[in-house]
């Protein structure tokens, strides 16, 4: 039984971890060690993304057409919540893909 537990630990994937956030002109690039489960939704012009990953709370600001957009990563019971808020309604899209041995999530915002 002990040998089975040790093999299970060796073959189990690493937990998904938020590694880095890069601010881009029209959004963010969020880097993970592997692909997170993701659920995103637009609510009243605000984007909320639930990510099944571990990481540290962070926040920041980016400029979209010269206007401020605030973003925040907060810890939830099921993982991380990435939220984008601005004084006007936002829209946009997101896409993820493997790159350089990590997972890259590109979030593009528009007014």
């Amino acid at each position: 039984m002990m040998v089975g537990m040790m093999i299970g630990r060796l073959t189990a994937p690493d937990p998904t971890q938020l590694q880095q956030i890069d601010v881009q002109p029209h959004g963010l690039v969020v880097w993970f060690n592997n692909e997170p489960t993701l659920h995103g939704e637009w609510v009243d012009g605000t984007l909320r993304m639930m990510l099944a990953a571990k990481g540290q709370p962070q926040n920041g600001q980016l400029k979209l057409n010269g206007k401020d957009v605030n973003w925040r990563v907060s810890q939830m019971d099921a993982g991380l919540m990435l939220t984008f808020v601005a004084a006007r309604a936002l829209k946009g899209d997101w896409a993820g893909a493997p790159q350089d041995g990590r997972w890259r999530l590109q979030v593009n915002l528009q007014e």
Side-chain angles (χ1 to χ4, degrees):
M1 185 160 104
M2 292 297 284
V3 171
M5 288 174 56
M6 291 185 338
I7 291 172
R9 285 209 172 158
L10 291 175
T11 59
D14 292 335
T16 302
Q17 184 76 32
L18 170 66
Q19 295 179 327
Q20 172 182 338
I21 297 177
D22 297 329
V23 177
Q24 302 289 309
H26 295 289
L28 295 180
V29 175
V30 187
W31 294 93
F32 298 90
N33 61 332
N34 54 50
E35 181 179 3
T37 302
L38 164 70
H39 173 74
E41 62 185 14
W42 295 98
V43 178
D44 297 327
T46 300
L47 174 59
R48 293 189 301 198
M49 303 178 84
M50 187 64 183
L51 304 156
K54 296 181 187 262
Q56 296 298 315
Q58 303 177 45
N59 60 61
Q61 197 172 70
L62 61 95
K63 294 284 187 185
L64 183 62
N65 298 328
K67 299 173 187 163
D68 294 334
V69 175
N70 295 313
W71 59 270
R72 173 178 299 194
V73 175
S74 42
Q75 290 183 327
M76 309 295 283
D77 290 339
L80 300 174
M81 177 73 74
L82 174 57
T83 308
F84 294 89
V85 178
R88 71 242 168 255
L90 296 172
K91 58 184 179 177
D93 58 24
W94 58 88
Q99 183 176 330
D100 301 327
R102 300 191 294 169
W103 188 260
R104 180 180 193 267
L105 175 64
Q106 173 77 46
V107 182
N108 299 307
L109 301 173
Q110 303 168 2
E111 288 188 40

